[in-house]
C-alpha cells in the first residue's frame, strides 16, 4: 500500500510540536507501538528544529515535510531553502555544533540516526538542506 | 511546559511537565536559573522526569547547561522516574554519566 502527504509550514518554533503531531497522526495507519511513535516524533523534531535554528537564523523561511508510506516502511523528507551546510559529514558527527554559545549539544543528527533505520543528508541544490529518513514499522496486527 | 519545585531536606525537587523542545527551552532555562540563583538552601537537585512527555537534543543542551552552572557550586543533579522517551535520550547522549539516575 502506498500513501503520501506533503505539508509546507513556516520556520516558527511553535511548528516543531505541529510537525511532531502530524507525523504521529500519519503513522497511525502502520499500527505502531508507542515506542516507535516516540522515536519518529523525536527524529522529526530534530530535523524541523534544525531548520528553525540553523537554516533560517534571522528570518522566517519555509519548511517542507513529506511523509510517505510504502508497505511497512515510513519515509520522511524534510527540506529547507536556508543557509545550507558546507561540510555535511562534519556537521553530522556527534557533538559538532556551530552554536555552542546557545547551549546546543550537537546531538541532533546523532539522535535522528539512532532513532531511525536510515538517515541521508544532502544539499538542496545550492540553497538549503534535504534530510531523508526511513523506518520500518512491523505490522503487529492482532491474530 | 510547566516547571514545579519543592524543597525537602535540603534537596531541591524539580518536576518538569510537558514537552521540552526549542520553543520552550528559553522559558525552562530562565526558570531553573532563577530558581537556582534565588534558592540558597539546597545541596542537591533532584529532577523528576516522570511527566516529561517529550525531549530532544535541545533538551540535552538545557540539561548540560544547568549541570555546568551547578557544578561551579558543587551541587549535583540526580534524575528520578524518567519517562520512556527521556530515558532513551539520557542513555544515548551519556547524560547519565554526569547526572545519575537514582531510585
Ligand atoms: N537545516 C540546516 N541548515 C543549516 N545548517 C544546519 C541544518 N541542520 C544542521 N545544521 C548544522 O549542523 C550542525 C549540527 O546539527 P545537529 O542537529 O547535530 O546539532 P545542533 O543543532 O547544533 O545541536 P542540537 O541539535 O544538539 O541542539 C548545526 O550546528 C548546524 O551548523
Ligand atoms: Mg539540532
Amino acid at each position: 500500500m502506498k500513501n503520501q502527504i506533503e505539508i509546507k509550514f513556516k520556520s516558527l518554533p511553535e511548528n516543531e510540536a505541529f510537525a511532531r503531531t502530524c507525523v504521529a497522526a500519519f503513522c497511525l495507519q502502520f499500527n505502531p507501538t508507542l515506542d516507535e511513535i516516540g522515536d519518529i516524533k523525536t527524529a522529526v523534531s530534530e530535523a524541523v528544529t534544525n531548520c528553525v535554528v540553523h537554516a533560517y537564523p534571522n528570518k522566517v523561511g519555509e519548511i517542507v515535510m513529506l511523509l510517505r508510506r510504502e508497505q511497512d516502511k515510513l519515509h520522511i523528507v524534510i527540506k529547507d531553502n536556508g543557509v545550507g551546510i558546507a561540510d555535511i559529514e562534519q556537521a553530522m558527527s556527534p557533538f559538532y555544533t556551530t552554536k555552542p554559545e546557545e547551549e546546543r549539544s550537537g546531538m541532533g543528527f546523532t539522535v535522528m540516526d539512532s532513532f531511525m533505520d536510515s538517515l541521508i543528508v544532502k544539499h538542496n541544490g545550492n540553497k538549503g538542506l534535504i534530510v531523508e529518513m526511513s523506518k520500518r514499522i512491523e505490522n503487529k496486527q492482532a491474530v | 511546559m510547566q516547571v514545579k519545585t519543592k524543597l525537602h531536606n535540603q534537596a531541591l525537587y524539580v518536576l518538569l511537565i510537558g514537552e521540552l523542545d526549542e520553543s520552550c527551552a528559553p522559558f525552562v532555562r530562565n526558570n531553573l536559573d532563577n530558581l537556582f540563583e534565588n534558592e540558597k538552601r539546597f545541596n542537591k537537585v533532584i529532577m523528576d522526569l516522570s511527566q516529561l512527555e517529550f525531549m530532544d537534543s535541545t533538551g540535552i543542551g538545557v540539561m548540560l547547561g544547568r549541570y555546568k552552572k551547578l557544578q561551579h557550586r558543587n551541587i549535583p543533579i540526580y534524575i528520578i522516574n524518567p519517562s520512556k522517551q527521556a530515558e532513551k535520550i539520557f542513555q544515548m547522549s551519556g547524560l547519565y554519566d554526569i547526572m545519575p539516575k537514582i531510585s
Side-chain angles (χ1 to χ4, degrees), chain A residues 45-47 49-51 53-54 97 104-109 112, chain B residues 57-58:
Chain A
S45 196
E46 294 297 352
T49 301
N50 278 350
C51 297
V53 174
H54 303 294
T97 181
R104 300 252 144 235
S105 65
M107 288 297 285
F109 283 124
M112 291 181 237
Chain B
S57 66
T58 301

Side-chain angles (χ1 to χ4, degrees), chain A residues 15-117:
Chain A
N15 285 337
E16 293 153 11
F18 167 78
R20 293 198 294 273
T21 309
C22 240
V23 72
F26 185 80
C27 278
L28 290 180
Q29 62 195 296
F30 288 94
N31 200 14
T33 61
L34 283 179
D35 273 14
E36 284 165 337
I37 294 189
D39 289 357
I40 293 161
K41 280 172 85 174
T42 312
V44 163
S45 196
E46 294 297 352
V48 171
T49 301
N50 278 350
C51 297
V52 175
V53 174
H54 303 294
Y56 306 112
N58 297 311
K59 63 168 195 171
V60 175
E62 235 144 39
I63 303 170
V64 172
M65 178 165 78
L66 189 143
L67 307 173
R68 190 169 74 245
R69 174 185 189 183
E70 276 171 31
Q71 281 83 38
D72 59 354
K73 219 167 172 190
L74 169 71
H75 296 270
I76 301 172
V77 181
I78 291 166
K79 278 192 256 193
D80 68 72
N81 296 302
V83 299
I85 299 180
D87 186 342
I88 290 178
E89 200 185 325
Q90 178 188 45
M92 290 178 75
S93 53
F95 306 112
Y96 177 85
T97 181
T98 47
K99 295 203 163 167
E101 74 287 353
E102 290 181 15
E103 289 193 342
R104 300 252 144 235
S105 65
M107 288 297 285
F109 283 124
T110 308
V111 169
M112 291 181 237
D113 194 39
S114 65
F115 283 24
M116 300 293 285
D117 294 344

